[in-house]
Amino acid sequence: MNSIKSVPARVLSRRAGHSLEAEREQFDKNQAISISKAINTQEAPVKEKHVRRIILGTHHEKGAFTFWSYAIGLPLPSSSILSWKFCHVLHKVLRDGHPNVLQDCQRYRSNIREVGDLWGHLHDRYGQLVSIYTRLLLTKISFHAKHHEFPPGLEVSDEVLEKTAGTDVNNIFQLTVELFDYLDCELKLSESVFRQLNTSMALSQMSAVQCRLAPLIQVIQDCSHLYHYAVKLMFKLHSCLPADTLQGHRDRFHEQFRSLKSFFKKASDMLYFKRLIQIPRLPESPPNFLRASALAEHVKPVVVIPEEAPEDEEPENLIEISTASTTEPQITSDIFQQTFGPPNGIRDDRDAQIESLKKEVDTLRAEMEKIKLEAQRYITQLKAQVNSLEGEVEEQRKQKQKALVDNEQLRDELERLQQVKQDSDRSLRLCAEAEKKANATEIRYTKLKEKHSELINTHAELLRKNADTAKQLTVTQQSQEEVARVKEQLEFQVEQVKREAEMKLEDQSVQMEQLRRELDARRDELDQAQCSLSHAKQAGTELSAQVETLQAEKEQLRRSVSEKERELLSTRSLVQEKELQLSQEADKASREICELQGKLLEKSNQEQSLQQKLLDEQFGILQEAVREAEGILRDAVAKLDDPLHVRCTSSPDYLLSRAEAALESTDALESGHAQYVASMADAAALVGALALFTHLTADTIVNGSATSHLAPTDHADRLTETCRDCGQRSLDYLGELKDKQTLGRAELGDVRRALRGVLGLAQELRPKSLDIKQEELGDMVEKEMASTSAAIEDAVRRIEEMMSRARNESSGIKLEVNERILNSCTDLMKAIRLLVMTSTNLQKEIVESGRGAATTQEFYAKNSRWTEGLISASKAVGWGATQLVESADRVVLHTGKYEELIVCSHEIAASTAQLVAASKVKAEKSSRNLGKLQECSRNVNEMAANVVASTRTGQEQIEEKDTMDFSGMSLIKLKKEEMETQVKVLELEKCLEGERVRLGELRKQHYALAGAYDAAEDGEARPAPAPRRGILKKPALAQKPGHVLGPDREPEQDTSLHRAHAVNF
C-alpha cells in the first residue's frame, strides 16, 4: 500500500484547500441556521443558545460580516416582532461579540435607522418599541465609536474612566452629557416596555410577555455601568465647577435616578428576571454631590448573571469536527484512487493502526468536548465569582476610601479642635493679662488719684504760703516805702536845713558885710556870730550823724529785703518744680485716661459693629426665609394652572382644616412681626411663624385647587380665583417684609380676608350627611354586609350550575374555554367571599377598639361618613358579583360578549379596592386583620387578572381568523381592496371616536343622576357635582354604590379614603 508521505505536494495543497472551503461552507450554514432560529416571527423570547452561536461566530471570523450578510436579507419591514428580535440579537452581539463588530455595525447604521423610521410611523405596539430600540442602538454605536476606551459591554475600571475624562472640565462636561443621553435611551426603552405590559406576577410567565421583557436584561446590564460612571463624573464636575452651574445636571440625574430605581424595582418583582439575572439595589436617595465625602458612600451596582441551567440539546460546535474529519479521509481516499488507482484487497498492519488511531481520535474528541463543556461551566462559575469578588473589592475599596475620608475629616476636626483649644488658651491668657493690666491700671489710677489729692493739698498749702509770703513782701514793701518816705522827709529836711543854712549864710554874709561895715562898731556882735556859727556846725555834724544812722538802717533793710527776695525766689522755684512734677503726673494720668477712654471707645465701637452685624445677620436670615416662602407660595400658585395637577383631588373638610390652620398661623406671624419690629436683634419668632404660615397657606392653595376639581363649575372658578388672590396677597405681604422701609408697615389684613374667603367657600362645598337614625345606620351596615355575603354565595351557586350546564351542552374547545372561564370566576368569587369575611372581622375589631363605653350603633352614628363608605363599598361588591355572574352566563350561552366579562372583572376589582380602602381608614397599622385584608385584596386582584387572561385566551381560541391570501388578485383589484380597507378603517375610527364621546356623556349623566339620588335620600335638594377635568367618581347607591366623605373625619383619614374612592374607569 502506498504511504501518505509519497503523495505529491500539489495533491496535498488541493486537499487542504478543499477542507478549508468545506469548513467555511459548514460555518456559513451553521450561522444561517442560528440566525433564522433566533430571529423569527414567533412571539416568544430569543433562545440563548442560538444567540451564543452567533456571538461565537463573530469571534471566529473576528467580525460581523456573516451576521450582516444574512441580517440585511431578513424581511424586517414585514413583521414588527421580527424587527424586535433583530434589535435584541444585535444588542447582544454588540455587547458580547468581537470588538470588530462595532466597526461592521457602523457601515449599516442607515439600515438600522430605516427600520426604526418605518415602524415609528405605523400604529403597531411592537413597532413603537422597535422605533425606540433602534434609537438606542444608534446611540450606543455612536457613543462607542466616539469613545474607543469604552467597550460595547461598558466594563471599564475607574482608572480608565479617569484617564478618559482627563482634567479638562469641558471634556468632562461633554462626556457627562453623552452618558446622560445614553442612559435616557436605555430608560425610555424600559418605560415603553412596561407601559405596554400588565406587570402582574402571573402574566410575566407568558411567552408574549417574555418576548418583550427579554431585551431588558441587556438594558439592566448597561444601566448599572452608566449609573456608576455618571456618579463618578458628577462628583468630579462638582469638584471643578460651582454648584449653581451644575444645577441642571443635578436635576437631570435625580430624574434618571428615580426612573432607574423604579425600573429596577419593577424588574426585581417579576419572576421572569429572578431566574435570569440578579438585579442590584439602588440607595433610597440619590448621592449628595454638594458633599465631597458622599463619594465614599457610593457603592457600585454589580449585576450578576446566575449559572445557566443545561439545555435539552447538546451545544453544537461552531465547526463540526466529526463531519470535517470524516469528509477529509473520504476526499483523500478519492484523490488517492484517482492518482494511484484502487488499493489492494489485502489490509496491512498500517491500516489497522490507522483505524485504531481514528478510534482514539474519536474518543479523545468526545473527551475534549466534555472537557470544553466543563470548562465552559467552570468559566461561567468563575465569572460569577469574579463579578461577586469585584463587587466585594469595590465595596471594600469604597469602605477604605470612606475610612480614609473619615480619618481625614477626624484629623481635620482634631486639628481644628486643637486650634480652637490654643485659641481659647490664648484668649484666656489674654483675658488674664487684660485683667491684670486692668487691675494694675486701676491700682495705678488709685495711686494717681491719691497723688493727685496730695498734690492738690500741697498746691493749696503752697498757695497759702505764697499768699503769706506775698503778704510779708507787701509788708516789707510797705516798710520800704515808709523808709523811702522817711528818707525823703529827711532829705527834704536836710535840704530845708541847707536852704535855711544858706539863707542864714547869706544873712550872715550880709550881716558880715554889715558887720564889716560895722566892724568897728560891732565887734562884739562878730564874736557872737562866730559862736552861733560854731553852734550851727555842731548841729550839722549831729544831723550828718543821724543821716549816716539812717543810711545804715537803710542798708540793713535792703539786705533783709534781698534775703526775703532770695527766700521768695527759692520758694517760687520749689513751687515751679512741684507744679512741673504735678503737671507731668497729670499729663501721664491724662494720657492713661485717654488710652483707657480709647480702649473703651474701641470696645464700644466693636460692640456697636457686632450689634449691627447681628442685626444684619438676623435681617439676612429673615430675607432667606422670605425668599424660600415666596418660592413655596409661587409653586403652590403655579399648581392652580398646572395640567399635571388636574388629577389631584381633595375634600372640602380637609380644605376647611387647612384654611383654619393657616388663619390661626397669621396670629403667630403677626406676634412674631411685632416682636421683630420692637427688637430686630431676634428674628427667630418671625422666621418660625413665617415658615409655618407659608407651608399652611401653600397647603391651603394646593388643596383648594384639588378641591375645585370635584366642585361645581361656579364654585370651582370662585375657589380657584380666591386661592390665587390668597397667594398674591401673601406674596405682597412677603414683598413688604423684604424692604426695611416697609417692614414695619406690613399688615396681614388682606391675607386674612383671602383666607376667610377660602374658608367660606370650603364651608359651602362641605357635603351634608345622611339623616339616618343611630339604630338604622348600625343595622344598615350589618344588613349590607350580610346581603353582600348572600350575593356572593348566590353567585358561587349560579356559577356551579352554569358549570354543570356547560358540561352537558358543550364539548371540545368550547367546553374547555367555558370551564376555564367559569373556574377563574369561581376562584374570584371565593377570593371575594374571603375578603368580605376578613373585612367584617376587621370592622368588628375597629368597632370594639374605638367605641369605648358607647354602643355599636352610637359608634356607627358618630362616624357616619365612614359608615356610609362601608355601606357604599359593600353594595358595590354585591352588585359587581351579580353583574359578573350574569356576564359569565351570557358568555357561556354565547349571547354575550367577552368584553363584558373583562369589564365586570375590572369593576369588581375596583369595588373590592373601595371596600379595602373604606375598612383600612380606621384600622390600626399593627392589626393582623388589616394584614389579612390586604393579602385578600391582592388575591382578588390576581384572580381578576386570571379571569381577564382566561377570557382573552378563550376569545382567541373561539374566534376564527381568516387567512389573508392575496396571491390571486391583480394589481388593480389589490389597489381597490386597499382603498376599501382604508375607508373601512376610517369609518371604524370615526365610530370609535363617537362611541368614546357617547361614553363620556353617559358618565356625566350617570354622575348627575347619582348626585340627585343622594339629595333625595338626604331629604333636601343638593346640586350634583359636575365632573371636572377627567376626574371620575363612583356612582351613587341607585346603580353602583358611591361614597361621600363626612366632616367628622380627621384630615389624614379623610384624604386617604377619598383617594381610595376616586377610581377612574
Side-chain angles (χ1 to χ4, degrees), residues 116 160 178 254 450 455 460 529 716 730 874 948 995 1026:
V160 176
E178 293 176 359
H254 291 166
E450 293 176 355
L455 289 173
S730 302
S874 60
V948 174
E995 290 298 325

Side-chain angles (χ1 to χ4, degrees), residues 131-387:
S131 177
I132 297 171
Y133 209 162
T134 54
R135 285 199 291 271
L136 169 60
L137 293 174
L138 291 173
T139 303
K140 186 179 185 67
I141 294 171
S142 301
F143 179 83
H144 294 290
K146 182 177 180 182
H147 303 283
H148 300 286
E149 299 83 0
F150 291 92
L154 287 170
E155 293 184 0
V156 295
S157 61
D158 292 343
E159 291 76 11
V160 176
L161 178 64
E162 292 288 337
K163 183 178 179 182
T164 304
T167 57
D168 189 359
V169 179
N170 296 323
N171 293 337
I172 302 173
F173 194 92
Q174 182 63 29
L175 181 59
T176 307
V177 172
E178 293 176 359
L179 284 176
F180 283 164
D181 295 339
Y182 198 165
L183 187 57
D184 280 338
C185 294
E186 302 276 359
L187 294 175
K188 188 174 181 181
L189 177 61
S190 64
E191 291 173 358
S192 301
V193 171
F194 281 118
R195 194 183 300 117
Q196 289 191 10
L197 295 179
N198 181 4
T199 56
S200 173
M201 300 296 288
L203 294 178
S204 65
Q205 300 302 314
M206 298 176 63
S207 60
V209 176
Q210 292 179 358
C211 182
R212 290 182 174 91
L213 294 178
L216 297 186
I217 297 176
Q218 286 72 45
V219 174
I220 293 171
Q221 291 175 320
D222 290 346
C223 287
S224 64
H225 294 293
L226 292 174
Y227 167 76
H228 175 65
Y229 302 150
V231 171
K232 287 281 189 181
L233 293 178
M234 282 292 287
F235 273 109
K236 191 167 185 178
L237 276 178
H238 278 77
S239 65
C240 302
L241 296 175
D244 296 338
T245 307
L246 300 174
Q247 182 63 42
H249 272 50
R250 287 197 301 274
D251 296 340
R252 187 175 182 185
F253 178 81
H254 291 166
E255 183 178 356
Q256 289 182 347
F257 177 81
R258 290 191 292 270
S259 300
L260 184 61
K261 186 175 179 62
S262 175
F263 169 41
F264 281 4
K265 185 177 184 305
K266 290 179 181 178
S268 60
D269 292 339
M270 285 189 169
L271 185 60
Y272 174 73
F273 289 109
K274 290 182 178 179
R275 64 182 181 86
L276 295 177
I277 187 171
Q278 182 177 344
I279 302 174
R281 289 182 176 272
L282 295 181
E284 293 297 329
S285 58
N288 185 7
F289 300 112
L290 301 179
R291 184 167 57 88
S293 60
L295 177 61
E297 302 173 3
H298 169 68
V299 179
K300 178 180 179 181
V302 179
V303 178
V304 179
I305 304 295
E307 182 181 359
E308 298 178 1
E311 298 178 352
D312 296 337
E313 298 181 14
E314 293 185 358
E316 299 180 5
N317 291 322
L318 187 62
I319 302 172
E320 293 188 1
I321 302 175
S322 62
T323 305
S325 62
T326 55
T327 305
E328 184 177 356
Q330 184 179 358
I331 294 171
T332 305
S333 176
D334 294 339
I335 294 173
F336 279 1
Q337 290 179 6
Q338 293 176 4
T339 305
F340 302 101
N344 297 327
I346 303 172
R347 296 172 59 89
D348 56 3
D349 296 337
R350 190 170 296 175
D351 293 333
Q353 291 178 1
I354 291 173
E355 291 296 330
S356 62
L357 290 174
K358 284 183 180 180
K359 292 180 181 180
E360 290 179 2
V361 167
D362 293 335
T363 305
L364 292 174
R365 186 179 291 112
E367 292 179 356
M368 184 177 67
E369 292 298 327
K370 292 180 181 179
I371 292 171
K372 284 184 178 179
L373 291 177
E374 292 179 359
Q376 188 174 3
R377 284 196 296 270
Y378 289 152
I379 289 171
T380 304
Q381 293 176 359
L382 290 174
K383 282 185 178 179
Q385 292 179 2
V386 166
N387 290 332

Side-chain angles (χ1 to χ4, degrees), residues 828-843:
L828 178 59
M829 288 297 107
K830 291 179 180 178
I832 295 172
R833 179 173 58 186
L834 182 60
L835 183 137
V836 171
M837 294 171 61
T838 309
S839 176
T840 304
N841 296 332
L842 180 60
Q843 292 166 18

Side-chain angles (χ1 to χ4, degrees), residues 782-805:
E782 297 177 357
K783 289 179 181 178
E784 288 302 330
M785 297 303 292
S787 63
T788 302
S789 300
I792 294 172
E793 293 291 342
D794 183 65
V796 173
R797 181 183 54 79
R798 290 183 59 186
I799 290 174
E800 292 177 353
E801 292 177 357
M802 285 187 286
M803 180 74 75
S804 61
R805 188 171 66 240

